[in-house]
Amino acid sequence: MLIKTKQNPHKLLTHGYERTDPYFWLRDRENPEVIAHLEAENAATKASMAHTEYLQNQLFEEMKNRIKPDDSSVAYRLDNYYYYNRFELGKEYPIYCRRKEDMKNPEEIILDVNLLAQGKNFCELGGSTVSTDHRYLAYAVDYQGRRIYTIYIKDLETGDLLSDEIPGVTGNMVWAIDNFTLFYSKQDEVTLRSDRVFRHRRGTSVAEDVLVFEEKDETYYIQVNKSKSRKYLFIHSSSTLSDEVSYLESANPEGTFTVILPREKEHEYAVDHLGEDFYVLTNDQAKNFRLVKTPVINPSRTHWTEIMPHRPDVLLEGIEIFRDFLVLDERKNGLNQIRIMPWSGVGEYYLEFPDPAYSAGVDFNPEFDTQVLRFSYQSLTTPASTFDFDMISRERTLLKQQEVLGGFSPENYLSERIFAQAADGTSVPISLVYHKDTVKKGDAPLLLYGYGSYGYSMDPYFSAARLSLLDRGFIYAIAHIRGGSDLGRQWYEDGKMLRKKNTFTDFIACGEYLIKEGYTRKGKLFCMGGSAGGLLVGAVINMRPDLFFGAVASVPFVDVVTTMLDEDIPLTTGEYDEWGNPAEKEYFEYMLSYSPYDNIQKCPYPHLLVTSGLHDSQVQYWEPTKWVAKIRDYRTNDNRLLLHTNMSAGHGGASGRFEPYREVALEYAFLLDLAFPELVNIR
């Protein structure tokens, strides 16, 4: 029996609108009644899903057993070392290793995360970086899931942990070339906005660390990194729609950072270095970005030389610089492209990929003086693969493909790329995958996944866990809706701010199209999304509660208006350019018109599973908690309405290699039980 959720209503008055929130009290994580409520919800979910426990365990074991227990990553070369990580049988966390000069030489374990995690309910390794001389490893660890890290420094020559311990940081850090100076970023204690960069000298007290940069604009976040040449350190200060990059010679760590281009509204840019020039990826007069170079000694616009002009049909997403080649990460017609351009200007070309829907991109390439490009590739039917590509001979070598145990064969699965028509006539891509034995006659259950925010593109990716759905007859589809950058920058802009509802109507159009074309039928269509994708789920089940039979919302951002009015909550101030600032009436009213929490109505809602994390710093646990409580009080049917809160984790769920799959197993069991209730009786 759940405890009573309504208490004295909290009144909110904005722009003349009075909103009452009887569930506002659930925001107090220190209140024992709140913890009791979350535990009661967890108990109710466990009881409701008790009949699926065998299926959940079966699913978990399937997912776990598809993973090679003693797997390792592909080694990359940095100077005279080869770095990689590996897993050992029965262990949850990676072991980071290296070998000197040749992979045949003895292995050196530089960090065993399993040892860090001993006795901990949660353990997440944040950033890690090796000093230029390869002797010192700086790494950051979070033991709560709130993404507040502590930096440690290890002497790799002696194996000793130094006395340096830097708490309360973001996990972002970089060594200067002197091997003594470490720059790191720190966050505001209330909002968790990364706002400061400090300089730390190895072996000194944290109290002596020097503040070298402070970002006082509450809409900006900062990050410190290094050019590929390792000659320059960069502080990147960015908001949703604006960037400012400052630089400092790595050999002069006690110098002053100098701004490359002062921040301007709606000017986004990123910088790398080659020779005497900075290479600037910029959207200045280029919605889909262009590439210019400019002298380090005077990087102003008046000295720009254009390398790659703007193209209205191609989004330029990134660059990789080599001695003899420039490599471009591009996106055209919603698909990734890798373009190879010799600096000589002769003989440029594109890599070719076989699948109708896929994900490809430049991988980690720390070496400058090489003709070999490392890139990654995967599709809905092809496991994640790493290739080395000789840019002169054009020979590609498969270094590693994710090994999927349990008899997996890609020939057993089919993928498609189709297009639905949105309400305004826009064509919206959909990527699908299903088992070859699944008969597409309108009776197959279909899970439609979406995100559609922040310009993040949802590329078709392989999932070994997803096979547990496909092998049982589900079709899986990704809706490439507006709000992402799947079809370029305009695709993003048409799904944000005062056009945000396009994201939701696109998703609805995709669902309707899949029914119309006979991929599934009403009563068999399900949806799923997480974080801002959870906002998507919440919005569409308010707009069309009849369309989906069941829905899964993971750590959903559903209390949009209240959250965006609260500047003390992490992420709020930096997201005004994504959602709008509700202090302005126009944006307040528009947010209010779609915010899932504010638009709950008296109607029959689909079956709903909601997951959350008590220590989530991105979507506070109380948003999904309040949302579920309010739906429970408003809905007019008795479909399943379940909330599961991980009491030991944050936004990303459980830590470790295998434990996160227990939560996936819960979600899949929820879907499979609704689609094939007879499955739960199979032993």
Side-chain angles (χ1 to χ4, degrees), residues 401-475:
Q401 184 172 88
Q402 175 188 353
E403 190 171 346
V404 182
L405 306 182
F408 166 76
S409 175
E411 291 76 20
N412 289 332
Y413 305 90
L414 302 174
S415 69
E416 298 181 34
R417 190 167 184 257
I418 60 176
F419 292 84
Q421 189 174 73
D424 62 1
T426 301
S427 291
V428 182
I430 306 172
S431 300
L432 300 106
V433 63
Y434 48 88
H435 195 280
K436 66 179 183 180
D437 294 336
T438 297
V439 180
K440 296 186 297 178
K441 292 183 178 178
D443 200 46
L446 188 148
L447 176 60
L448 182 62
Y449 182 87
Y451 188 76
S453 290
Y454 303 107
Y456 294 159
S457 300
M458 290 306 303
D459 292 322
Y461 64 96
F462 181 82
S463 168
R466 188 193 298 140
L467 299 176
S468 291
L469 284 182
L470 304 183
D471 290 349
R472 289 173 170 83
F474 256 87
I475 297 174

Side-chain angles (χ1 to χ4, degrees), residues 598-629:
D598 293 288
N599 287 279
I600 292 170
Q601 54 192 307
K602 290 187 179 298
C603 70
Y605 276 94
H607 298 277
L608 182 61
L609 170 64
V610 182
T611 64
S612 176
L614 179 62
H615 302 295
D616 194 337
S617 61
Q618 291 180 250
V619 177
Q620 304 293 326
Y621 75 90
W622 59 73
E623 290 200 41
T625 305
K626 290 168 52 182
W627 183 49
V628 168

Side-chain angles (χ1 to χ4, degrees), residues 14 33 47 91 137 168 208 307 329 334 344 361 364 366 389 405 418 431 454 488 506-507 544 581 584 617 644 660 682:
T14 313
E33 289 188 34
K91 294 185 178 181
L137 172 71
E208 299 175 29
I307 303 298
D329 255 328
S344 66
F364 185 48
F389 178 76
L405 306 182
I418 60 176
S431 300
Y454 303 107
D506 282 2
F507 195 76
R544 287 292 306 277
N581 186 346
E584 300 177 34
S617 61
H644 171 72
I682 298 175

Side-chain angles (χ1 to χ4, degrees), residues 310-544:
H310 173 259
R311 292 153 294 167
D313 61 336
V314 178
L315 177 63
L316 180 55
E317 295 188 315
I319 66 170
E320 190 70 52
I321 295 174
F322 297 92
R323 185 191 66 187
D324 297 323
F325 296 91
L326 172 67
V327 179
L328 304 183
D329 255 328
E330 301 178 346
R331 184 180 298 273
K332 185 175 182 179
N333 295 327
L335 294 174
N336 302 125
Q337 297 186 126
I338 298 177
R339 184 177 186 174
I340 312 297
M341 300 177 63
W343 288 116
S344 66
V346 179
E348 69 174 62
Y349 57 94
Y350 285 91
L351 271 64
E352 295 182 356
F353 304 112
D355 294 286
Y358 62 85
S359 175
V362 174
D363 209 315
F364 185 48
N365 288 268
E367 287 192 284
F368 169 73
D369 189 7
T370 178
Q371 66 191 48
V372 177
L373 167 74
R374 180 161 293 179
F375 74 91
S376 59
Y377 178 84
Q378 60 182 305
S379 73
L380 293 168
T381 59
T382 305
S385 308
T386 302
F387 291 86
D388 270 356
F389 178 76
D390 189 310
M391 292 181 281
I392 295 178
S393 70
R394 303 193 186 187
E395 178 182 356
R396 67 178 72 187
T397 302
L398 177 62
L399 302 177
K400 179 180 175 61
Q401 184 172 88
Q402 175 188 353
E403 190 171 346
V404 182
L405 306 182
F408 166 76
S409 175
E411 291 76 20
N412 289 332
Y413 305 90
L414 302 174
S415 69
E416 298 181 34
R417 190 167 184 257
I418 60 176
F419 292 84
Q421 189 174 73
D424 62 1
T426 301
S427 291
V428 182
I430 306 172
S431 300
L432 300 106
V433 63
Y434 48 88
H435 195 280
K436 66 179 183 180
D437 294 336
T438 297
V439 180
K440 296 186 297 178
K441 292 183 178 178
D443 200 46
L446 188 148
L447 176 60
L448 182 62
Y449 182 87
Y451 188 76
S453 290
Y454 303 107
Y456 294 159
S457 300
M458 290 306 303
D459 292 322
Y461 64 96
F462 181 82
S463 168
R466 188 193 298 140
L467 299 176
S468 291
L469 284 182
L470 304 183
D471 290 349
R472 289 173 170 83
F474 256 87
I475 297 174
Y476 182 87
I478 300 173
H480 303 283
I481 49 184
R482 282 175 282 187
S485 293
D486 304 68
L487 270 72
R489 185 69 178 196
Q490 191 64 50
W491 200 251
Y492 169 41
E493 293 184 1
D494 285 343
K496 62 181 293 195
M497 304 287 276
L498 298 175
R499 301 174 188 169
K500 186 62 200 171
K501 289 182 184 177
N502 284 335
T503 302
F504 315 136
T505 54
D506 282 2
F507 195 76
I508 290 170
C510 289
E512 292 175 334
Y513 182 78
L514 289 164
I515 291 173
K516 176 186 173 184
E517 294 300 307
Y519 287 92
T520 189
R521 63 172 173 81
K522 269 200 171 183
K524 291 283 189 175
L525 180 62
F526 301 82
C527 66
M528 176 183 282
S531 196
L535 161 64
L536 168 70
V537 169
V540 299
I541 66 173
N542 280 337
M543 297 168 71
R544 287 292 306 277

Side-chain angles (χ1 to χ4, degrees), residues 106-209:
E107 177 184 87
E108 177 185 352
I109 294 177
I110 61 176
L111 189 66
D112 186 343
V113 184
N114 296 283
L115 298 179
L116 302 181
Q118 284 183 354
K120 308 292 185 182
N121 292 325
F122 182 93
C123 178
E124 180 180 76
L125 184 68
S128 62
T129 179
V130 177
S131 59
T132 309
D133 63 359
H134 297 269
R135 176 168 177 175
Y136 297 98
L137 172 71
Y139 63 92
V141 187
D142 171 20
Y143 288 119
Q144 188 180 51
R146 199 157 173 78
R147 300 186 179 177
I148 301 174
Y149 298 86
T150 298
I151 292 174
Y152 302 91
I153 298 177
K154 182 179 180 180
D155 185 335
L156 298 179
E157 188 173 288
T158 66
D160 296 332
L161 199 63
L162 304 187
S163 60
D164 309 57
E165 186 173 316
I166 311 173
V169 299
T170 66
N172 164 231
M173 58 199 154
V174 62
W175 286 100
I177 205 168
D178 65 357
N179 308 308
F180 278 94
T181 309
L182 184 73
F183 291 86
Y184 64 90
S185 61
K186 199 170 176 66
Q187 63 272 73
D188 177 90
E189 293 181 0
V190 176
T191 66
L192 303 186
R193 178 178 69 94
S194 55
D195 62 347
R196 288 158 291 163
V197 174
F198 286 84
R199 184 178 68 233
H200 174 77
R201 296 284 287 174
R202 175 172 50 81
T204 65
S205 168
V206 175
E208 299 175 29
D209 289 358

Side-chain angles (χ1 to χ4, degrees), residues 68-111:
K68 187 179 180 182
D70 54 350
D71 206 358
S72 63
S73 68
V74 177
Y76 65 86
R77 182 174 179 172
L78 186 59
D79 299 327
N80 291 325
Y81 285 92
Y82 287 87
Y83 287 87
Y84 60 98
N85 66 69
R86 60 179 177 80
F87 290 91
E88 291 185 351
L89 181 66
K91 294 185 178 181
E92 282 279 350
Y93 297 92
I95 300 170
Y96 290 85
C97 310
R98 69 181 182 182
R99 297 175 191 263
K100 192 171 185 179
E101 296 178 347
D102 193 289
M103 284 297 290
K104 295 178 182 179
N105 285 332
E107 177 184 87
E108 177 185 352
I109 294 177
I110 61 176
L111 189 66

